[in-house]
Amino acid sequence: MSAKFLRAALVTTLALAGLPLAAPFAAPASAQGIELRIGPDGVRPIIREREPERDRRDRNRGCSPREAQRAATEEGLRRAEVVRVTDRSITVRGFTRRGPEQLRFANRRGCPLI
């Protein structure tokens, strides 16, 4: 039991003795928006702000008019053209074998057909 205690005390002492050696080097450690910088002036917590809503929306944006036009072509629409774009849907007109046709796609990722 005393051997375990002495071993733990030795490890702790060595770890604490090595800490001043690491102080001159800035060592960033990141975890969920908090960064700890260790430098000559000590440990400084740096809290990074979250991304603005606009950037996140652009990354997770829905269906673009070009994607809707390609999806309409894959559905069998010839000479497809986008005629209306709203926040919720994209309307594409074109021709099938039967004549003029209009398809509406949801403005979501993957352009699902409504």
Side-chain angles (χ1 to χ4, degrees):
M1 180 93 150
S2 63
K4 286 184 182 180
F5 177 74
L6 289 175
R7 191 178 306 147
L10 180 65
V11 168
T12 305
T13 305
L14 290 175
L16 291 176
L19 191 59
L21 297 175
F25 307 105
S30 299
Q32 298 179 358
I34 296 177
E35 186 175 331
L36 294 175
R37 289 198 180 163
I38 302 171
D41 54 343
V43 178
R44 292 181 304 146
I46 297 173
I47 300 172
R48 286 180 271 158
E49 294 183 21
R50 295 177 59 181
E51 297 176 9
E53 292 292 324
R54 186 177 309 142
D55 291 343
R56 218 174 315 133
R57 254 192 318 236
D58 289 344
R59 190 176 24 167
N60 295 328
R61 65 174 172 59
C63 180
S64 72
R66 181 177 286 172
E67 289 171 326
Q69 193 172 11
R70 285 185 196 143
T73 303
E74 289 175 9
E75 290 286 331
L77 212 58
R78 290 175 286 182
R79 293 186 349 197
E81 67 174 304
V82 177
V83 292
R84 185 173 183 196
V85 178
T86 65
D87 290 340
R88 293 179 153 212
S89 68
I90 298 176
T91 306
V92 181
R93 280 191 192 146
F95 293 92
T96 62
R97 289 185 224 156
R98 297 181 193 151
E101 188 74 33
Q102 181 172 310
L103 297 176
R104 185 174 293 165
F105 296 94
N107 199 353
R108 300 279 179 250
R109 177 186 275 161
C111 297
L113 189 61
I114 298 177

